[in-house]
Amino acid sequence: MIINKSIDIENEVREALSDYLTAYCRPLPEEYDLPNILITLVGGTDSQTIDTFEVVLDSRAQTEADALDYLNTATGILKQVAKEQTSALRHVVVNSSGSWGADPVRPDLSMCSARLAIVAHQEITEVDNNV
């Protein structure tokens, strides 16, 4: 049977950012480079063969200014990737963004976050009948 299914949006976003920034999908590794972006899928909707994912980007850096700049660079990259139509990403909207304060796990680091709506086409795949 041929079906449509959602893509792995966290990994798709990581791949889109990885040529320019240090980006991770959950869970954040125990040891990581700074600054970085952590990508987390937090929800979304679908309409026929189009998904709109709700994704949170958490930016960590030594200073709040660096974390915010890294976050703004990440959102700019994702918007451009969607505009160029060179990946599965088709449209990116920033729903909220800004300074967050200290990282709750590492209070010595600053953290800023953005919540994005990312539109992507579902992929078509074939599944076997295992009966």
Side-chain angles (χ1 to χ4, degrees), residues 14 21-39 58-63 67 70 100-112:
R14 186 194 58 75
L21 304 174
T22 301
Y24 301 103
C25 296
R26 279 191 180 260
L28 188 64
E30 247 182 71
E31 294 187 25
Y32 48 80
D33 294 327
L34 290 175
N36 69 55
I37 297 286
L38 178 65
I39 304 139
D58 291 320
S59 174
R60 288 172 173 80
Q62 292 293 337
T63 68
Y70 212 69
W100 200 89
D103 183 330
V105 176
R106 294 263 318 265
D108 58 312
L109 299 179
S110 294
M111 191 166 135
C112 297

PDB file of all heavy atoms in Angstrom, residues 14 21-39 58-63 67 70 100-112:
ATOM      1  N   ARG A  14      17.737  20.192  11.605  1.00  0.00           N
ATOM      2  CA  ARG A  14      19.163  20.055  11.966  1.00  0.00           C
ATOM      3  C   ARG A  14      20.035  20.051  10.729  1.00  0.00           C
ATOM      4  O   ARG A  14      21.061  20.731  10.664  1.00  0.00           O
ATOM      5  CB  ARG A  14      19.393  18.777  12.787  1.00  0.00           C
ATOM      6  CG  ARG A  14      20.833  18.651  13.308  1.00  0.00           C
ATOM      7  CD  ARG A  14      21.119  17.256  13.816  1.00  0.00           C
ATOM      8  NE  ARG A  14      20.908  16.239  12.802  1.00  0.00           N
ATOM      9  CZ  ARG A  14      21.735  16.001  11.772  1.00  0.00           C
ATOM     10  NH1 ARG A  14      22.837  16.700  11.614  1.00  0.00           N
ATOM     11  NH2 ARG A  14      21.466  15.054  10.899  1.00  0.00           N
ATOM     12  N   LEU A  21      25.717  26.246  11.434  1.00  0.00           N
ATOM     13  CA  LEU A  21      25.667  26.340  12.888  1.00  0.00           C
ATOM     14  C   LEU A  21      25.795  24.953  13.522  1.00  0.00           C
ATOM     15  O   LEU A  21      25.557  23.944  12.868  1.00  0.00           O
ATOM     16  CB  LEU A  21      24.325  26.938  13.338  1.00  0.00           C
ATOM     17  CG  LEU A  21      23.926  28.292  12.771  1.00  0.00           C
ATOM     18  CD1 LEU A  21      22.505  28.643  13.210  1.00  0.00           C
ATOM     19  CD2 LEU A  21      24.887  29.373  13.202  1.00  0.00           C
ATOM     20  N   THR A  22      26.091  24.933  14.801  1.00  0.00           N
ATOM     21  CA  THR A  22      26.064  23.690  15.555  1.00  0.00           C
ATOM     22  C   THR A  22      24.628  23.463  16.016  1.00  0.00           C
ATOM     23  O   THR A  22      24.067  24.297  16.739  1.00  0.00           O
ATOM     24  CB  THR A  22      27.006  23.761  16.769  1.00  0.00           C
ATOM     25  OG1 THR A  22      28.334  24.023  16.306  1.00  0.00           O
ATOM     26  CG2 THR A  22      26.987  22.461  17.553  1.00  0.00           C
ATOM     27  N   ALA A  23      24.026  22.376  15.565  1.00  0.00           N
ATOM     28  CA  ALA A  23      22.622  22.094  15.873  1.00  0.00           C
ATOM     29  C   ALA A  23      22.473  20.647  16.319  1.00  0.00           C
ATOM     30  O   ALA A  23      23.110  19.747  15.766  1.00  0.00           O
ATOM     31  CB  ALA A  23      21.754  22.364  14.646  1.00  0.00           C
ATOM     32  N   TYR A  24      21.619  20.459  17.318  1.00  0.00           N
ATOM     33  CA  TYR A  24      21.358  19.133  17.875  1.00  0.00           C
ATOM     34  C   TYR A  24      19.857  18.869  17.910  1.00  0.00           C
ATOM     35  O   TYR A  24      19.064  19.794  18.092  1.00  0.00           O
ATOM     36  CB  TYR A  24      21.881  19.024  19.311  1.00  0.00           C
ATOM     37  CG  TYR A  24      23.353  19.273  19.476  1.00  0.00           C
ATOM     38  CD1 TYR A  24      23.823  20.476  19.983  1.00  0.00           C
ATOM     39  CD2 TYR A  24      24.277  18.306  19.126  1.00  0.00           C
ATOM     40  CE1 TYR A  24      25.182  20.710  20.147  1.00  0.00           C
ATOM     41  CE2 TYR A  24      25.642  18.529  19.288  1.00  0.00           C
ATOM     42  CZ  TYR A  24      26.087  19.731  19.793  1.00  0.00           C
ATOM     43  OH  TYR A  24      27.423  19.953  19.951  1.00  0.00           O
ATOM     44  N   CYS A  25      19.501  17.590  17.786  1.00  0.00           N
ATOM     45  CA  CYS A  25      18.147  17.141  18.089  1.00  0.00           C
ATOM     46  C   CYS A  25      18.164  16.582  19.504  1.00  0.00           C
ATOM     47  O   CYS A  25      19.206  16.161  19.995  1.00  0.00           O
ATOM     48  CB  CYS A  25      17.695  16.056  17.102  1.00  0.00           C
ATOM     49  SG  CYS A  25      17.563  16.639  15.398  1.00  0.00           S
ATOM     50  N   ARG A  26      17.004  16.536  20.141  1.00  0.00           N
ATOM     51  CA  ARG A  26      16.925  15.967  21.488  1.00  0.00           C
ATOM     52  C   ARG A  26      17.324  14.511  21.491  1.00  0.00           C
ATOM     53  O   ARG A  26      17.020  13.823  20.537  1.00  0.00           O
ATOM     54  CB  ARG A  26      15.496  16.104  22.018  1.00  0.00           C
ATOM     55  CG  ARG A  26      15.243  17.479  22.553  1.00  0.00           C
ATOM     56  CD  ARG A  26      13.921  17.483  23.314  1.00  0.00           C
ATOM     57  NE  ARG A  26      13.659  18.794  23.831  1.00  0.00           N
ATOM     58  CZ  ARG A  26      13.884  19.160  25.088  1.00  0.00           C
ATOM     59  NH1 ARG A  26      14.341  18.297  25.951  1.00  0.00           N
ATOM     60  NH2 ARG A  26      13.650  20.372  25.473  1.00  0.00           N
ATOM     61  N   PRO A  27      17.958  14.047  22.527  1.00  0.00           N
ATOM     62  CA  PRO A  27      18.389  14.790  23.697  1.00  0.00           C
ATOM     63  C   PRO A  27      19.706  15.522  23.428  1.00  0.00           C
ATOM     64  O   PRO A  27      20.522  15.072  22.614  1.00  0.00           O
ATOM     65  CB  PRO A  27      18.581  13.694  24.746  1.00  0.00           C
ATOM     66  CG  PRO A  27      18.990  12.494  23.968  1.00  0.00           C
ATOM     67  CD  PRO A  27      18.247  12.606  22.647  1.00  0.00           C
ATOM     68  N   LEU A  28      19.895  16.633  24.107  1.00  0.00           N
ATOM     69  CA  LEU A  28      21.150  17.362  24.000  1.00  0.00           C
ATOM     70  C   LEU A  28      22.258  16.471  24.551  1.00  0.00           C
ATOM     71  O   LEU A  28      22.115  15.900  25.634  1.00  0.00           O
ATOM     72  CB  LEU A  28      21.051  18.657  24.822  1.00  0.00           C
ATOM     73  CG  LEU A  28      22.200  19.649  24.685  1.00  0.00           C
ATOM     74  CD1 LEU A  28      22.277  20.182  23.261  1.00  0.00           C
ATOM     75  CD2 LEU A  28      22.012  20.802  25.666  1.00  0.00           C
ATOM     76  N   PRO A  29      23.351  16.299  23.801  1.00  0.00           N
ATOM     77  CA  PRO A  29      24.415  15.427  24.309  1.00  0.00           C
ATOM     78  C   PRO A  29      25.017  15.961  25.609  1.00  0.00           C
ATOM     79  O   PRO A  29      24.931  17.156  25.889  1.00  0.00           O
ATOM     80  CB  PRO A  29      25.450  15.427  23.177  1.00  0.00           C
ATOM     81  CG  PRO A  29      25.051  16.461  22.220  1.00  0.00           C
ATOM     82  CD  PRO A  29      23.671  16.906  22.516  1.00  0.00           C
ATOM     83  N   GLU A  30      25.615  15.078  26.374  1.00  0.00           N
ATOM     84  CA  GLU A  30      26.235  15.484  27.631  1.00  0.00           C
ATOM     85  C   GLU A  30      27.319  16.529  27.406  1.00  0.00           C
ATOM     86  O   GLU A  30      27.457  17.475  28.169  1.00  0.00           O
ATOM     87  CB  GLU A  30      26.839  14.262  28.344  1.00  0.00           C
ATOM     88  CG  GLU A  30      26.132  13.928  29.618  1.00  0.00           C
ATOM     89  CD  GLU A  30      26.754  12.765  30.334  1.00  0.00           C
ATOM     90  OE1 GLU A  30      27.862  12.922  30.877  1.00  0.00           O
ATOM     91  OE2 GLU A  30      26.120  11.706  30.337  1.00  0.00           O
ATOM     92  N   GLU A  31      28.110  16.327  26.365  1.00  0.00           N
ATOM     93  CA  GLU A  31      29.142  17.294  25.998  1.00  0.00           C
ATOM     94  C   GLU A  31      28.767  17.889  24.658  1.00  0.00           C
ATOM     95  O   GLU A  31      28.439  17.159  23.719  1.00  0.00           O
ATOM     96  CB  GLU A  31      30.506  16.616  25.929  1.00  0.00           C
ATOM     97  CG  GLU A  31      30.975  16.118  27.286  1.00  0.00           C
ATOM     98  CD  GLU A  31      32.391  15.592  27.249  1.00  0.00           C
ATOM     99  OE1 GLU A  31      33.169  16.013  26.358  1.00  0.00           O
ATOM    100  OE2 GLU A  31      32.702  14.756  28.101  1.00  0.00           O
ATOM    101  N   TYR A  32      28.796  19.222  24.570  1.00  0.00           N
ATOM    102  CA  TYR A  32      28.389  19.896  23.342  1.00  0.00           C
ATOM    103  C   TYR A  32      29.198  21.166  23.141  1.00  0.00           C
ATOM    104  O   TYR A  32      29.767  21.714  24.072  1.00  0.00           O
ATOM    105  CB  TYR A  32      26.895  20.200  23.350  1.00  0.00           C
ATOM    106  CG  TYR A  32      26.386  20.847  24.619  1.00  0.00           C
ATOM    107  CD1 TYR A  32      26.546  22.205  24.858  1.00  0.00           C
ATOM    108  CD2 TYR A  32      25.747  20.087  25.581  1.00  0.00           C
ATOM    109  CE1 TYR A  32      26.075  22.794  26.012  1.00  0.00           C
ATOM    110  CE2 TYR A  32      25.276  20.664  26.743  1.00  0.00           C
ATOM    111  CZ  TYR A  32      25.438  22.029  26.945  1.00  0.00           C
ATOM    112  OH  TYR A  32      24.974  22.598  28.104  1.00  0.00           O
ATOM    113  N   ASP A  33      29.235  21.589  21.868  1.00  0.00           N
ATOM    114  CA  ASP A  33      29.928  22.817  21.501  1.00  0.00           C
ATOM    115  C   ASP A  33      29.008  24.009  21.722  1.00  0.00           C
ATOM    116  O   ASP A  33      27.787  23.902  21.600  1.00  0.00           O
ATOM    117  CB  ASP A  33      30.352  22.771  20.029  1.00  0.00           C
ATOM    118  CG  ASP A  33      31.389  21.699  19.757  1.00  0.00           C
ATOM    119  OD1 ASP A  33      32.214  21.431  20.651  1.00  0.00           O
ATOM    120  OD2 ASP A  33      31.383  21.134  18.651  1.00  0.00           O
ATOM    121  N   LEU A  34      29.599  25.145  22.029  1.00  0.00           N
ATOM    122  CA  LEU A  34      28.864  26.403  22.171  1.00  0.00           C
ATOM    123  C   LEU A  34      29.327  27.381  21.111  1.00  0.00           C
ATOM    124  O   LEU A  34      30.497  27.373  20.748  1.00  0.00           O
ATOM    125  CB  LEU A  34      29.099  27.020  23.547  1.00  0.00           C
ATOM    126  CG  LEU A  34      28.481  26.297  24.719  1.00  0.00           C
ATOM    127  CD1 LEU A  34      28.907  26.974  26.021  1.00  0.00           C
ATOM    128  CD2 LEU A  34      26.958  26.288  24.627  1.00  0.00           C
ATOM    129  N   PRO A  35      28.462  28.240  20.637  1.00  0.00           N
ATOM    130  CA  PRO A  35      27.031  28.228  20.844  1.00  0.00           C
ATOM    131  C   PRO A  35      26.380  27.081  20.077  1.00  0.00           C
ATOM    132  O   PRO A  35      27.001  26.502  19.174  1.00  0.00           O
ATOM    133  CB  PRO A  35      26.576  29.591  20.302  1.00  0.00           C
ATOM    134  CG  PRO A  35      27.603  29.948  19.291  1.00  0.00           C
ATOM    135  CD  PRO A  35      28.888  29.333  19.762  1.00  0.00           C
ATOM    136  N   ASN A  36      25.114  26.785  20.406  1.00  0.00           N
ATOM    137  CA  ASN A  36      24.408  25.727  19.692  1.00  0.00           C
ATOM    138  C   ASN A  36      22.908  25.970  19.703  1.00  0.00           C
ATOM    139  O   ASN A  36      22.407  26.824  20.432  1.00  0.00           O
ATOM    140  CB  ASN A  36      24.749  24.344  20.263  1.00  0.00           C
ATOM    141  CG  ASN A  36      24.204  24.122  21.648  1.00  0.00           C
ATOM    142  OD1 ASN A  36      23.013  24.260  21.908  1.00  0.00           O
ATOM    143  ND2 ASN A  36      25.082  23.759  22.582  1.00  0.00           N
ATOM    144  N   ILE A  37      22.236  25.202  18.868  1.00  0.00           N
ATOM    145  CA  ILE A  37      20.778  25.217  18.760  1.00  0.00           C
ATOM    146  C   ILE A  37      20.274  23.808  19.055  1.00  0.00           C
ATOM    147  O   ILE A  37      20.777  22.839  18.482  1.00  0.00           O
ATOM    148  CB  ILE A  37      20.316  25.617  17.335  1.00  0.00           C
ATOM    149  CG1 ILE A  37      20.754  27.031  16.981  1.00  0.00           C
ATOM    150  CG2 ILE A  37      18.816  25.429  17.166  1.00  0.00           C
ATOM    151  CD1 ILE A  37      19.996  28.135  17.657  1.00  0.00           C
ATOM    152  N   LEU A  38      19.274  23.705  19.933  1.00  0.00           N
ATOM    153  CA  LEU A  38      18.590  22.438  20.185  1.00  0.00           C
ATOM    154  C   LEU A  38      17.208  22.517  19.542  1.00  0.00           C
ATOM    155  O   LEU A  38      16.469  23.471  19.771  1.00  0.00           O
ATOM    156  CB  LEU A  38      18.450  22.178  21.690  1.00  0.00           C
ATOM    157  CG  LEU A  38      17.699  20.903  22.073  1.00  0.00           C
ATOM    158  CD1 LEU A  38      18.464  19.653  21.611  1.00  0.00           C
ATOM    159  CD2 LEU A  38      17.442  20.858  23.574  1.00  0.00           C
ATOM    160  N   ILE A  39      16.868  21.523  18.732  1.00  0.00           N
ATOM    161  CA  ILE A  39      15.620  21.493  17.972  1.00  0.00           C
ATOM    162  C   ILE A  39      14.666  20.503  18.629  1.00  0.00           C
ATOM    163  O   ILE A  39      15.020  19.342  18.840  1.00  0.00           O
ATOM    164  CB  ILE A  39      15.889  21.062  16.514  1.00  0.00           C
ATOM    165  CG1 ILE A  39      16.911  21.987  15.881  1.00  0.00           C
ATOM    166  CG2 ILE A  39      14.598  21.004  15.713  1.00  0.00           C
ATOM    167  CD1 ILE A  39      17.920  21.284  15.017  1.00  0.00           C
ATOM    168  N   ASP A  58      16.084  26.184  20.859  1.00  0.00           N
ATOM    169  CA  ASP A  58      16.720  26.732  22.054  1.00  0.00           C
ATOM    170  C   ASP A  58      18.176  26.997  21.724  1.00  0.00           C
ATOM    171  O   ASP A  58      18.903  26.078  21.326  1.00  0.00           O
ATOM    172  CB  ASP A  58      16.640  25.747  23.227  1.00  0.00           C
ATOM    173  CG  ASP A  58      15.234  25.564  23.753  1.00  0.00           C
ATOM    174  OD1 ASP A  58      14.507  26.570  23.843  1.00  0.00           O
ATOM    175  OD2 ASP A  58      14.865  24.417  24.069  1.00  0.00           O
ATOM    176  N   SER A  59      18.589  28.228  21.875  1.00  0.00           N
ATOM    177  CA  SER A  59      19.957  28.632  21.587  1.00  0.00           C
ATOM    178  C   SER A  59      20.711  28.811  22.892  1.00  0.00           C
ATOM    179  O   SER A  59      20.243  29.516  23.795  1.00  0.00           O
ATOM    180  CB  SER A  59      19.934  29.950  20.805  1.00  0.00           C
ATOM    181  OG  SER A  59      21.244  30.450  20.621  1.00  0.00           O
ATOM    182  N   ARG A  60      21.870  28.170  22.993  1.00  0.00           N
ATOM    183  CA  ARG A  60      22.713  28.287  24.183  1.00  0.00           C
ATOM    184  C   ARG A  60      24.043  28.913  23.785  1.00  0.00           C
ATOM    185  O   ARG A  60      24.617  28.559  22.762  1.00  0.00           O
ATOM    186  CB  ARG A  60      22.979  26.906  24.784  1.00  0.00           C
ATOM    187  CG  ARG A  60      21.780  26.307  25.462  1.00  0.00           C
ATOM    188  CD  ARG A  60      22.047  24.858  25.861  1.00  0.00           C
ATOM    189  NE  ARG A  60      20.969  24.333  26.659  1.00  0.00           N
ATOM    190  CZ  ARG A  60      19.814  23.893  26.149  1.00  0.00           C
ATOM    191  NH1 ARG A  60      19.615  23.896  24.847  1.00  0.00           N
ATOM    192  NH2 ARG A  60      18.860  23.446  26.951  1.00  0.00           N
ATOM    193  N   ALA A  61      24.521  29.814  24.655  1.00  0.00           N
ATOM    194  CA  ALA A  61      25.818  30.463  24.431  1.00  0.00           C
ATOM    195  C   ALA A  61      26.328  30.999  25.765  1.00  0.00           C
ATOM    196  O   ALA A  61      25.618  30.960  26.777  1.00  0.00           O
ATOM    197  CB  ALA A  61      25.677  31.594  23.418  1.00  0.00           C
ATOM    198  N   GLN A  62      27.546  31.525  25.740  1.00  0.00           N
ATOM    199  CA  GLN A  62      28.135  32.075  26.958  1.00  0.00           C
ATOM    200  C   GLN A  62      27.407  33.337  27.422  1.00  0.00           C
ATOM    201  O   GLN A  62      27.256  33.561  28.609  1.00  0.00           O
ATOM    202  CB  GLN A  62      29.621  32.381  26.740  1.00  0.00           C
ATOM    203  CG  GLN A  62      30.470  31.152  26.562  1.00  0.00           C
ATOM    204  CD  GLN A  62      30.564  30.314  27.828  1.00  0.00           C
ATOM    205  OE1 GLN A  62      30.369  30.777  28.944  1.00  0.00           O
ATOM    206  NE2 GLN A  62      30.867  29.039  27.661  1.00  0.00           N
ATOM    207  N   THR A  63      26.956  34.159  26.458  1.00  0.00           N
ATOM    208  CA  THR A  63      26.267  35.397  26.822  1.00  0.00           C
ATOM    209  C   THR A  63      24.882  35.425  26.185  1.00  0.00           C
ATOM    210  O   THR A  63      24.634  34.765  25.176  1.00  0.00           O
ATOM    211  CB  THR A  63      27.040  36.637  26.350  1.00  0.00           C
ATOM    212  OG1 THR A  63      27.005  36.699  24.926  1.00  0.00           O
ATOM    213  CG2 THR A  63      28.480  36.620  26.864  1.00  0.00           C
ATOM    214  N   ALA A  67      23.644  34.220  22.430  1.00  0.00           N
ATOM    215  CA  ALA A  67      22.559  33.247  22.267  1.00  0.00           C
ATOM    216  C   ALA A  67      21.461  33.814  21.377  1.00  0.00           C
ATOM    217  O   ALA A  67      20.950  33.126  20.489  1.00  0.00           O
ATOM    218  CB  ALA A  67      21.988  32.845  23.630  1.00  0.00           C
ATOM    219  N   TYR A  70      22.693  34.010  17.726  1.00  0.00           N
ATOM    220  CA  TYR A  70      22.730  32.668  17.141  1.00  0.00           C
ATOM    221  C   TYR A  70      21.323  32.204  16.777  1.00  0.00           C
ATOM    222  O   TYR A  70      21.086  31.638  15.715  1.00  0.00           O
ATOM    223  CB  TYR A  70      23.381  31.706  18.138  1.00  0.00           C
ATOM    224  CG  TYR A  70      24.154  30.575  17.532  1.00  0.00           C
ATOM    225  CD1 TYR A  70      25.346  30.799  16.846  1.00  0.00           C
ATOM    226  CD2 TYR A  70      23.732  29.260  17.672  1.00  0.00           C
ATOM    227  CE1 TYR A  70      26.082  29.757  16.314  1.00  0.00           C
ATOM    228  CE2 TYR A  70      24.454  28.199  17.145  1.00  0.00           C
ATOM    229  CZ  TYR A  70      25.628  28.458  16.466  1.00  0.00           C
ATOM    230  OH  TYR A  70      26.343  27.413  15.936  1.00  0.00           O
ATOM    231  N   TRP A 100      15.541  34.311  26.955  1.00  0.00           N
ATOM    232  CA  TRP A 100      14.939  33.346  27.872  1.00  0.00           C
ATOM    233  C   TRP A 100      15.581  33.438  29.236  1.00  0.00           C
ATOM    234  O   TRP A 100      14.992  33.097  30.230  1.00  0.00           O
ATOM    235  CB  TRP A 100      15.122  31.967  27.261  1.00  0.00           C
ATOM    236  CG  TRP A 100      14.210  30.914  27.778  1.00  0.00           C
ATOM    237  CD1 TRP A 100      12.983  30.604  27.279  1.00  0.00           C
ATOM    238  CD2 TRP A 100      14.428  30.006  28.845  1.00  0.00           C
ATOM    239  NE1 TRP A 100      12.431  29.570  27.972  1.00  0.00           N
ATOM    240  CE2 TRP A 100      13.303  29.182  28.943  1.00  0.00           C
ATOM    241  CE3 TRP A 100      15.456  29.813  29.734  1.00  0.00           C
ATOM    242  CZ2 TRP A 100      13.186  28.181  29.891  1.00  0.00           C
ATOM    243  CZ3 TRP A 100      15.352  28.823  30.692  1.00  0.00           C
ATOM    244  CH2 TRP A 100      14.216  28.008  30.757  1.00  0.00           C
ATOM    245  N   GLY A 101      16.837  33.838  29.258  1.00  0.00           N
ATOM    246  CA  GLY A 101      17.565  33.901  30.522  1.00  0.00           C
ATOM    247  C   GLY A 101      18.575  32.786  30.626  1.00  0.00           C
ATOM    248  O   GLY A 101      19.137  32.344  29.635  1.00  0.00           O
ATOM    249  N   ALA A 102      18.799  32.309  31.842  1.00  0.00           N
ATOM    250  CA  ALA A 102      19.791  31.263  32.085  1.00  0.00           C
ATOM    251  C   ALA A 102      19.230  29.893  31.713  1.00  0.00           C
ATOM    252  O   ALA A 102      18.037  29.632  31.862  1.00  0.00           O
ATOM    253  CB  ALA A 102      20.214  31.274  33.544  1.00  0.00           C
ATOM    254  N   ASP A 103      20.100  29.033  31.236  1.00  0.00           N
ATOM    255  CA  ASP A 103      19.746  27.641  30.964  1.00  0.00           C
ATOM    256  C   ASP A 103      19.385  26.984  32.306  1.00  0.00           C
ATOM    257  O   ASP A 103      20.155  27.084  33.268  1.00  0.00           O
ATOM    258  CB  ASP A 103      20.948  26.954  30.323  1.00  0.00           C
ATOM    259  CG  ASP A 103      20.695  25.514  29.931  1.00  0.00           C
ATOM    260  OD1 ASP A 103      19.882  24.834  30.588  1.00  0.00           O
ATOM    261  OD2 ASP A 103      21.314  25.059  28.960  1.00  0.00           O
ATOM    262  N   PRO A 104      18.228  26.315  32.409  1.00  0.00           N
ATOM    263  CA  PRO A 104      17.845  25.725  33.701  1.00  0.00           C
ATOM    264  C   PRO A 104      18.768  24.607  34.167  1.00  0.00           C
ATOM    265  O   PRO A 104      18.879  24.347  35.367  1.00  0.00           O
ATOM    266  CB  PRO A 104      16.430  25.206  33.457  1.00  0.00           C
ATOM    267  CG  PRO A 104      16.286  25.099  31.988  1.00  0.00           C
ATOM    268  CD  PRO A 104      17.219  26.097  31.380  1.00  0.00           C
ATOM    269  N   VAL A 105      19.430  23.939  33.241  1.00  0.00           N
ATOM    270  CA  VAL A 105      20.337  22.848  33.610  1.00  0.00           C
ATOM    271  C   VAL A 105      21.751  23.376  33.843  1.00  0.00           C
ATOM    272  O   VAL A 105      22.455  22.922  34.731  1.00  0.00           O
ATOM    273  CB  VAL A 105      20.332  21.748  32.521  1.00  0.00           C
ATOM    274  CG1 VAL A 105      21.332  20.656  32.841  1.00  0.00           C
ATOM    275  CG2 VAL A 105      18.942  21.180  32.356  1.00  0.00           C
ATOM    276  N   ARG A 106      22.147  24.332  33.018  1.00  0.00           N
ATOM    277  CA  ARG A 106      23.482  24.938  33.129  1.00  0.00           C
ATOM    278  C   ARG A 106      23.314  26.443  33.352  1.00  0.00           C
ATOM    279  O   ARG A 106      23.338  27.223  32.409  1.00  0.00           O
ATOM    280  CB  ARG A 106      24.285  24.699  31.851  1.00  0.00           C
ATOM    281  CG  ARG A 106      24.666  23.283  31.521  1.00  0.00           C
ATOM    282  CD  ARG A 106      26.073  22.925  31.974  1.00  0.00           C
ATOM    283  NE  ARG A 106      27.091  23.913  31.767  1.00  0.00           N
ATOM    284  CZ  ARG A 106      27.917  23.968  30.713  1.00  0.00           C
ATOM    285  NH1 ARG A 106      27.822  23.096  29.735  1.00  0.00           N
ATOM    286  NH2 ARG A 106      28.839  24.903  30.637  1.00  0.00           N
ATOM    287  N   PRO A 107      23.106  26.891  34.592  1.00  0.00           N
ATOM    288  CA  PRO A 107      22.868  28.313  34.852  1.00  0.00           C
ATOM    289  C   PRO A 107      24.039  29.215  34.462  1.00  0.00           C
ATOM    290  O   PRO A 107      23.876  30.428  34.402  1.00  0.00           O
ATOM    291  CB  PRO A 107      22.588  28.387  36.353  1.00  0.00           C
ATOM    292  CG  PRO A 107      22.724  27.022  36.893  1.00  0.00           C
ATOM    293  CD  PRO A 107      22.996  26.067  35.773  1.00  0.00           C
ATOM    294  N   ASP A 108      25.201  28.620  34.173  1.00  0.00           N
ATOM    295  CA  ASP A 108      26.339  29.412  33.726  1.00  0.00           C
ATOM    296  C   ASP A 108      26.200  29.811  32.255  1.00  0.00           C
ATOM    297  O   ASP A 108      26.960  30.639  31.768  1.00  0.00           O
ATOM    298  CB  ASP A 108      27.644  28.639  33.925  1.00  0.00           C
ATOM    299  CG  ASP A 108      27.669  27.300  33.194  1.00  0.00           C
ATOM    300  OD1 ASP A 108      26.671  26.543  33.312  1.00  0.00           O
ATOM    301  OD2 ASP A 108      28.666  27.010  32.511  1.00  0.00           O
ATOM    302  N   LEU A 109      25.204  29.236  31.555  1.00  0.00           N
ATOM    303  CA  LEU A 109      24.981  29.542  30.135  1.00  0.00           C
ATOM    304  C   LEU A 109      23.714  30.371  29.954  1.00  0.00           C
ATOM    305  O   LEU A 109      22.763  30.242  30.722  1.00  0.00           O
ATOM    306  CB  LEU A 109      24.849  28.247  29.326  1.00  0.00           C
ATOM    307  CG  LEU A 109      26.045  27.317  29.323  1.00  0.00           C
ATOM    308  CD1 LEU A 109      25.734  26.073  28.503  1.00  0.00           C
ATOM    309  CD2 LEU A 109      27.284  28.019  28.791  1.00  0.00           C
ATOM    310  N   SER A 110      23.710  31.183  28.916  1.00  0.00           N
ATOM    311  CA  SER A 110      22.509  31.931  28.543  1.00  0.00           C
ATOM    312  C   SER A 110      21.740  31.141  27.508  1.00  0.00           C
ATOM    313  O   SER A 110      22.313  30.370  26.735  1.00  0.00           O
ATOM    314  CB  SER A 110      22.890  33.288  27.974  1.00  0.00           C
ATOM    315  OG  SER A 110      23.482  34.077  28.974  1.00  0.00           O
ATOM    316  N   MET A 111      20.412  31.350  27.494  1.00  0.00           N
ATOM    317  CA  MET A 111      19.558  30.610  26.576  1.00  0.00           C
ATOM    318  C   MET A 111      18.475  31.531  26.033  1.00  0.00           C
ATOM    319  O   MET A 111      17.905  32.334  26.778  1.00  0.00           O
ATOM    320  CB  MET A 111      18.940  29.430  27.305  1.00  0.00           C
ATOM    321  CG  MET A 111      18.245  28.443  26.434  1.00  0.00           C
ATOM    322  SD  MET A 111      17.948  26.942  27.409  1.00  0.00           S
ATOM    323  CE  MET A 111      16.270  26.637  26.952  1.00  0.00           C
ATOM    324  N   CYS A 112      18.223  31.429  24.747  1.00  0.00           N
ATOM    325  CA  CYS A 112      17.132  32.139  24.085  1.00  0.00           C
ATOM    326  C   CYS A 112      16.360  31.120  23.267  1.00  0.00           C
ATOM    327  O   CYS A 112      16.923  30.119  22.821  1.00  0.00           O
ATOM    328  CB  CYS A 112      17.666  33.238  23.172  1.00  0.00           C
ATOM    329  SG  CYS A 112      18.552  34.527  24.046  1.00  0.00           S
TER     330      CYS A 112
END
